[in-house]
Amino acid sequence: MRLRTTTEIPQTILPMLATSGEVFDSAEWAYELKWSGVRCLAFARGGRIELQTRNLNWVQPQFPELAELAALPDGTVIDGELVVLEEGVPSLGAVQRRLKYGRAAVVQELARNKPATFIAFDCIYAGGERLAELPYRARRPITEMMLCTLGFPLASTTASFIGLGPGLLHSARAAGLEGVMAKHLDKPYLPGKRSRWWMKIRSKESGG
């Protein structure tokens, strides 16, 4: 499938949002673990990395340990989650606190002692080529390739499985994770839209 080339990446991009749902199993859907963190789009442009939250706030000064993401190809925008682990489990409070610190000495100490990881799950632009109109099944391997080529230990992709929704949800519960995401394999990325083609399924027994 031919990519649509662009000469300019938007200054900001609203991320695609999910609806809530119940666990199900389908070969037309991929399932990913849902990490408890801060939603973040990583923009690689001009030899630097810019980190934008879903509220369009720029937070790269709070996460200097992720500066090596700038090695991504210029004109790349990757959607993911900023995650900080405490005792091996993602801590939403820990990563949210990182957003509040402005003193350089405090930021640097936290970057050393409690580094954040950027967990990628989608790619909107790759080297200046727009991917949003491609189906998830085409965007996903590009996302994985970008992170694999980067070889940066504080950046990774979340595992993706076709089908196996109930089993992955069980694993998420056992690991103390928030839940799973279900994404239709044949649907595009819809910036700024809440879509039923992405569903968040929480680990609580009640679902939704």
Side-chain angles (χ1 to χ4, degrees):
M1 187 176 296
R2 188 177 180 83
L3 302 182
R4 193 178 76 184
T5 301
T6 182
T7 57
E8 184 177 357
I9 306 299
Q11 287 300 306
T12 59
I13 299 174
L14 287 168
M16 183 173 173
L17 302 175
T19 58
S20 295
E22 301 289 335
V23 68
F24 64 99
D25 203 353
S26 170
E28 296 181 348
W29 291 73
Y31 299 87
E32 305 171 355
L33 292 172
K34 190 175 189 305
W35 297 86
S36 183
V38 170
R39 185 76 174 274
C40 178
L41 271 63
F43 292 69
R45 50 190 169 196
R48 56 196 173 90
I49 195 70
E50 299 174 354
L51 303 176
Q52 174 214 291
T53 69
R54 61 180 288 181
N55 296 321
L56 304 184
N57 296 318
W58 298 103
V59 297
Q60 62 272 13
Q62 280 74 41
F63 299 93
E65 68 270 36
L66 298 178
E68 288 189 41
L69 287 170
L72 288 165
D74 193 55
T76 294
V77 182
I78 294 184
D79 193 357
E81 197 91 2
L82 292 172
V83 174
V84 173
L85 300 179
E86 288 191 339
E87 298 181 358
V89 178
S91 170
L92 179 59
V95 71
Q96 287 178 331
R97 287 192 293 273
R98 291 286 302 272
L99 301 177
K100 300 178 181 179
Y101 295 113
R103 289 179 54 200
V106 175
V107 169
Q108 291 293 340
E109 181 181 0
L110 288 169
R112 287 191 301 270
N113 298 326
K114 283 193 175 182
T117 298
F118 180 69
I119 299 180
F121 48 72
D122 218 316
C123 189
I124 309 170
Y125 290 86
E129 294 180 298
R130 182 177 168 89
L131 308 183
E133 286 80 14
L134 298 182
Y136 171 93
R137 69 170 75 244
R139 299 191 314 272
R140 175 68 196 194
I142 297 173
T143 307
E144 294 176 352
M145 179 190 68
M146 287 284 184
L147 273 293
C148 182
T149 303
L150 188 62
F152 177 39
L154 293 180
S156 63
T157 53
T158 187
S160 177
F161 304 90
I162 296 176
L164 307 177
L168 189 62
L169 182 63
H170 177 78
S171 297
R173 287 172 177 158
L177 297 178
E178 188 176 342
V180 301
M181 292 291 299
K183 299 180 179 180
H184 198 289
L185 289 166
D186 295 321
K187 300 304 177 181
Y189 187 100
L190 303 173
K193 303 293 186 182
R194 188 176 296 279
S195 172
R196 63 192 178 96
W197 302 120
W198 279 17
M199 283 191 282
K200 53 186 175 183
I201 304 165
R202 300 191 183 278
S203 287
K204 293 181 180 179
E205 295 293 339
S206 59

